Amino acid sequence: MKFFFTIDALSAAGDKAWRLQQDRKSWRPCTYAETASEADARIFETSESEGWTGRRLKADKEHGLIIKEKPGTFDFLVRGIYSHAVLHRQSAAPLPGKVQMIDTITSLAPGTPWLVYLNVAGQFKAIDTNSSRIIGNLDIAVRGEIASSENYIGPKAIENEQMMNELYHQFIAGWDEHLQTSQMAVFIPDTEKLKEESFYIEHIQNWQPENQ
């Protein structure tokens, strides 16, 4: 799987966006998550991309955008311009596997607050939210809800076939949104907002990567 990140800054209203350039200092106006150009900074290391994510910036008439300090825990409440990592895929994206989702969920031990998610490779993974961070984690392409009850994770969860079917439906809907928008950490949609499962499967199978 081939991919890289660009760093896009987005205004509070979402009506203006800028993209970090190769010099790691200048920014050009852009449409958020647009196709990468030659002058854009292309970041292939996830750790470097995570370092750029969530930076607060301010507009300066003379210098364009200026990076302010890394925001604190509660700074997300402050409106302003923030940086986001945008994923650009250069190879096909798989259809996530339902069996792999079920295997991942049933292998988890109840009593721990697990987050089940799809990584950028379309694989189901889980992290213990007691010890692993969620915000700014660029391995998380699509995320579910945090759960610890044996009704939702662990060997007993597989007994609820309807729940498993609905959850897979939600995850592939979220995966489709992730592919179409390049956004990270997409929340799975509510079941009442879902289209037919076949719609998402066809959309995912017909999706094309950037031609770079």
Side-chain angles (χ1 to χ4, degrees), residues 98 101-102 105-106 150-168:
K98 184 176 182 179
M101 181 198 78
I102 294 173
I105 291 172
T106 56
E150 64 177 6
N151 293 321
Y152 300 100
I153 58 172
K156 187 177 178 180
I158 197 174
E159 297 175 7
N160 191 335
E161 183 177 356
Q162 180 179 350
M163 182 186 73
M164 289 294 177
N165 290 337
E166 289 179 349
L167 188 58
Y168 179 70

Side-chain angles (χ1 to χ4, degrees), residues 37-52:
S37 70
E38 291 185 4
D40 296 340
R42 299 186 181 198
I43 304 177
F44 294 89
E45 296 295 329
T46 300
S47 57
E48 182 184 355
S49 299
E50 289 179 343
W52 282 98

Side-chain angles (χ1 to χ4, degrees), residues 100 104 108 115-119 123-127 139 171:
Q100 204 244 327
T104 299
L108 302 174
L115 174 73
V116 176
Y117 68 95
L118 279 168
N119 68 8
Q123 301 167 331
F124 285 96
K125 300 287 184 179
I127 54 175
D139 192 48
F171 264 110

Side-chain angles (χ1 to χ4, degrees), residues 5 7 43 45-55 70 83-85 133-140 184:
F5 291 96
I7 306 300
I43 304 177
E45 296 295 329
T46 300
S47 57
E48 182 184 355
S49 299
E50 289 179 343
W52 282 98
T53 301
R55 294 290 187 96
K70 184 79 172 180
S83 60
H84 306 266
R133 64 187 175 85
I134 299 175
I135 298 175
N137 184 338
L138 294 182
D139 192 48
I140 302 174
M184 303 298 294

Side-chain angles (χ1 to χ4, degrees), residues 28-184:
R28 70 170 178 87
C30 70
T31 299
Y32 185 80
E34 71 181 30
T35 300
S37 70
E38 291 185 4
D40 296 340
R42 299 186 181 198
I43 304 177
F44 294 89
E45 296 295 329
T46 300
S47 57
E48 182 184 355
S49 299
E50 289 179 343
W52 282 98
T53 301
R55 294 290 187 96
R56 192 165 55 177
L57 304 99
K58 66 176 182 179
D60 182 271
K61 291 184 178 179
E62 183 177 354
H63 301 98
L65 289 185
I66 298 175
I67 296 176
K68 301 183 72 174
E69 72 282 354
K70 184 79 172 180
T73 304
F74 299 103
D75 282 359
F76 64 88
L77 296 173
V78 179
R79 289 174 60 84
I81 302 171
Y82 286 90
S83 60
H84 306 266
V86 174
L87 183 70
H88 298 263
R89 295 180 182 272
Q90 296 179 289
S91 57
L95 177 67
K98 184 176 182 179
V99 171
Q100 204 244 327
M101 181 198 78
I102 294 173
D103 289 345
T104 299
I105 291 172
T106 56
S107 69
L108 302 174
T112 297
W114 296 101
L115 174 73
V116 176
Y117 68 95
L118 279 168
N119 68 8
V120 295
Q123 301 167 331
F124 285 96
K125 300 287 184 179
I127 54 175
D128 178 352
T129 60
N130 282 326
S131 55
S132 299
R133 64 187 175 85
I134 299 175
I135 298 175
N137 184 338
L138 294 182
D139 192 48
I140 302 174
V142 182
R143 55 161 295 178
E145 301 292 341
I146 298 171
S148 59
S149 168
E150 64 177 6
N151 293 321
Y152 300 100
I153 58 172
K156 187 177 178 180
I158 197 174
E159 297 175 7
N160 191 335
E161 183 177 356
Q162 180 179 350
M163 182 186 73
M164 289 294 177
N165 290 337
E166 289 179 349
L167 188 58
Y168 179 70
H169 193 168
Q170 289 175 289
F171 264 110
I172 62 170
W175 183 244
D176 181 52
E177 181 181 346
H178 161 72
L179 294 178
Q180 304 302 327
T181 65
S182 297
Q183 292 182 359
M184 303 298 294

